[in-house]
Amino acid sequence: MEKKILKTLLFIGLLLFPFAFKRENLKESLLIFFLKGYLSSFIATVLVKNKNISYPIRLMPKYFSISVVFDYLLFPILCVFFNHTSLNSRPHRIVFQAFLYSMPMTILEVLFEKYTDLIKYKHHWNWLITFSTLSTTLLVVRVFISFMRKLSLEGEQNKSQDNTVNLKEM
């Protein structure tokens, strides 16, 4: 049953993939996707090594101790959607949206932990820590992308000013 669930989640992730990457924001979306994948896999690897959580049944168990479907596909896609929907939001709305996006993932993880062998909590790990971690990582990526947007806009403004000065000198 667990392998069917993983394959279904993989299929859902692959189905959502093209919708996450729109042509006008492709570079930004790819940056979000890969940054979130890196961050998620790093955190998950540390948690597995410290025996806070385990993934008894997973895809490619010879190569990965983490959930590849979750950390490299589903959560990064979710983060891309989160960044798109919170693009023009104010800070308090961004935090609220991060909580909203984290809620279904947390619920799904709790259900998987309780009824399957896809994930197992160990030591003092619980749903609240999962929820906090998911929300925090969404916000960390969102802040990073906002910073990158600001740098990009400043660079474009500087180019525009340089071009205006060059035209005046002619």
Side-chain angles (χ1 to χ4, degrees):
M1 179 170 105
E2 283 87 353
K3 289 284 187 181
K4 283 185 179 182
I5 292 171
L6 281 177
K7 288 177 182 178
T8 301
L9 290 173
L10 177 63
F11 178 74
I12 290 169
L14 294 174
L15 200 63
L16 290 173
F17 199 83
F19 298 103
F21 299 96
K22 297 182 179 171
R23 185 174 290 265
E24 64 270 2
N25 293 328
L26 184 60
K27 286 181 190 177
E28 185 176 286
S29 296
L30 287 169
L31 179 61
I32 293 165
F33 182 82
F34 288 117
L35 177 61
K36 182 61 185 150
Y38 175 77
L39 188 59
S40 293
S41 66
F42 176 77
I43 292 170
T45 301
V46 169
L47 292 173
V48 168
K49 295 270 186 215
N50 288 331
K51 298 185 181 354
N52 292 324
I53 58 175
S54 67
Y55 301 96
I57 297 177
R58 59 193 180 277
L59 294 182
M60 298 184 280
K62 283 185 179 180
Y63 305 106
F64 297 98
S65 60
I66 63 174
S67 175
V68 174
V69 174
F70 178 77
D71 291 312
Y72 288 128
L73 184 64
L74 293 177
F75 203 26
I77 287 173
L78 180 82
C79 194
V80 171
F81 285 126
F82 166 69
N83 273 271
H84 288 315
T85 59
S86 67
L87 182 63
N88 298 314
S89 299
R90 294 181 179 210
H92 69 281
R93 296 279 302 161
I94 293 170
V95 172
F96 179 71
Q97 282 181 296
F99 291 155
L100 283 179
Y101 274 82
S102 298
M103 217 177 300
M105 296 292 276
T106 302
I107 292 168
L108 196 61
E109 185 174 293
V110 167
L111 292 173
F112 288 159
E113 198 276 333
K114 189 171 183 176
Y115 298 111
T116 73
D117 284 330
L118 292 176
I119 185 170
K120 291 296 172 195
Y121 294 164
K122 298 182 176 188
H123 299 294
H124 299 292
W125 197 265
N126 60 45
W127 71 268
L128 189 56
I129 300 171
T130 292
F131 179 75
S132 302
T133 304
L134 295 176
S135 298
T136 301
T137 56
L138 284 172
L139 292 170
V140 165
V141 172
R142 178 67 170 79
V143 167
F144 178 80
I145 293 302
S146 293
F147 179 71
M148 294 302 293
R149 281 187 198 122
K150 186 175 181 182
L151 285 178
S152 179
L153 285 174
E154 287 175 0
E156 289 174 15
Q157 288 173 349
N158 288 341
K159 279 184 184 177
S160 174
Q161 290 172 352
D162 289 346
N163 288 339
T164 304
V165 169
N166 288 340
L167 288 175
K168 287 181 181 176
E169 290 175 355
M170 293 177 131

